Amino acid sequence: MKPYNNKAWWLVLPVFVLVAFSAIIPMMTVVNYSVQDIFDPSTRYFVGTEWYREILSDPRLHDSLVRQFIYSFCVLAIEIPLGIIVALSMPRRGLGVPVSLILLALPLLVPWNVVGTIWQIIGREDIGLYGSLLNGLGVDYNYASSPRDAWITVLIMDVWHWTSLVALLCYSGLRSIPDVYYQAARIDRASSWAVFRYIQLPKLKNVLLIAVMLRFMDSFMIYTEPFVLTGGGPGTATTFLSQTLTQMALGQFDLGRAAAFSLIYFLIILLVTWVFYTAMTHNDDKG
Amino acid sequence: MSLQLENVTLKVRGETYIDEANLQLDGGSFNVLLGHTLAGKTTLMRLMAGLDTPTRGRVWLGGRDMTDVPVRQRNVSMVYQQFINYPTLNVFDNIASPLKQAKVARAEIQRRVEETAHMLGIDHLLGRYPQALSGGQQQRTAMARALVKDADLVLFDEPLVNLDYKLRESLRVEMRKLFASRDTLAVYATTEPAEALALGGTTVLLKEGRIVQSGPSEAVYRQPCNLEAASLFGEPPINLLAAEIAGGECRIGRQRLPLPAAWQRLEEGHYRLGVRPHHVSLAPLATGEALCLPVQVRVAEIGGSETFLHMTHDEIDLVAHLGGIHELAVDQALEIHLPCAEMFVFEPDGELLLSPASPATAARA
């Protein structure tokens, strides 16, 4: 007599099939591409790790990777504190609550390419609202010719588009703090800094973790906005990783190299996200 | 430091939360606010602490008018039903936090925190974080934080509700000891009459934002000033019966009973009779007069060594708190005996006329 049977595998099967088609098979296809040189479906050569070696020593990719890290760092450094400040200054009750929630949700509803187009127009130095205003004030601003201006414009665009997400997440975190905590702090005569440091920030930790990871992953994969604004220019000032990847895969049809690149790209995101997660949760036991 | 409330009223958007509260609490006393949920216990405490300002009336602390002084400038502390501690600070720093805000010297902080922690039996936990503590230990930490700063006024808002009953009893006993040796004014809110009696001190009965009665807990329990006070202070609540005294008889519904000697002096007219559930007896009394009523059993709740018997007489609900186990069937007919010596007699408008402690001397004037 068998002490157990294997029927339970049938319960796992649907999930397994789903994951296979949504993740494992596409992923392994990419792995397969990345070790071959492909000219057409019938002409392909096994090249081993050649693509990887080539990618890791490609200065064009190094530049774009550094640019990408600086960009994501700036996005987090601006959006996270700004989002917290916005959330802290939002009303806690009354008519102001729905009004501010709707206002904050609006930018999140705008598609990426529309955001790019909006800022492309707003930033124009001849007719754009901000562009012409800045130039009128004597600031030499032109995103189409100055790499610095283009870079800053892409950053502002992202801040405009996504700070609300951080603010909304933080607001929901703040709302979950019971009123008695604030009351107890008042009775203890705690300063507003102490309230933030010892009550609000600890309670925000989990939503901040989600906000940081979402914003990091998303900004690390930015594609549409700079593509719409300047097409990655001027020069390569706003050419970030995903645009480099697209050029490689579709522009040059360099599938093997692009696949190797994709995998490295994926591993970088995985690694950095893991570092963030570990860093922010390592002292969870102390609350 | 004494606390005095003078005609304190709080209205929020036209709704009266506290109605003309007058109260005098002496320094060093232990006071219990007793009332049902939504009676205004927390609201009254917030007014005492200065978290809210009354719409009308004055709040005096130690003879000083503190009505408009915000809580940050007062020396009060409060313990809540929820266990409120700073999650990222360990027990020591949690207890020390009010002292640090007050810029007390480091050595003094160390001494006072250790002393308070020792008093509450949490001195071995000083290095732990609140999450690693049990509920009772978390509440002890919150209590230590409230006690460490030697506040003029310490408020406890149902602090033991979220603890299991064993911890509750041990903490309750400790609280009495803690405050016996201090001259801090303590106010303790609870919904449980038994807790008010166990804690001793003064009891203030609250109902729908009004103070019904206040005084030494025992005295309030023995001599409730009216029907409301009598039914608030007792669990299960006191049994009430409408009665008419006429023609040398006591009429309860359709029942006509001979008039007990103790009530001979009462004028003819309508009264309300009150008898606490633990005085209701199933057997005839050995001594003394009693009213005998036929009842129908509704349900008998058996709790180990005691039975709560719910009955009806003429559609009036009655409860008996009986010692021992009584297994009685639903709808069973019984006779109950209500000892006249333990009965309260109220005027039709609710004022107390006779109580067991003051035998029939004060007939209606």
Side-chain angles (χ1 to χ4, degrees), chain A residues 183 187-190 286, chain B residues 46 51 72 74 145 149:
Chain A
Q183 200 179 313
I187 287 179
D188 278 0
R189 305 182 208 172
K286 338 191 279 190
Chain B
R46 292 177 58 98
L51 285 161
R72 282 179 192 280
R74 299 191 193 188
R145 209 174 69 237
K149 67 175 182 179

Side-chain angles (χ1 to χ4, degrees), chain A residues 222-277:
Chain A
I222 188 170
Y223 175 76
T224 318
E225 290 96 327
F227 183 75
V228 172
L229 187 75
T230 59
T236 54
T238 57
T239 307
F240 296 113
L241 282 178
S242 48
Q243 201 178 338
T244 315
L245 177 63
T246 316
Q247 278 167 5
M248 200 182 284
L250 302 177
Q252 303 157 13
F253 210 72
D254 220 344
L255 285 186
R257 193 211 288 253
F261 182 28
S262 302
L263 286 172
I264 291 170
Y265 196 0
F266 171 65
L267 288 176
I268 292 173
I269 293 186
L270 203 63
L271 182 74
V272 176
T273 313
W274 178 77
V275 168
F276 273 134
Y277 184 80

Side-chain angles (χ1 to χ4, degrees), chain B residues 279-295:
Chain B
H279 287 131
V280 177
S281 163
L282 294 188
L285 298 188
T287 57
E289 292 172 294
L291 296 181
C292 180
L293 286 180
V295 291

Side-chain angles (χ1 to χ4, degrees), chain A residues 180-181 183-184 186-191 194 198-199 202 284 286-287, chain B residues 46 51 72 74-78 80 87-89 101 129 131 145 149:
Chain A
V180 270
Y181 276 85
Q183 200 179 313
R186 263 164 79 199
I187 287 179
D188 278 0
R189 305 182 208 172
S191 61
Y198 296 112
I199 297 176
D284 239 8
K286 338 191 279 190
Chain B
R46 292 177 58 98
L51 285 161
R72 282 179 192 280
R74 299 191 193 188
N75 189 14
V76 298
S77 53
M78 194 155 175
Y80 303 86
T88 54
L89 298 180
Q101 294 292 340
Y129 287 87
Q131 267 189 346
R145 209 174 69 237
K149 67 175 182 179

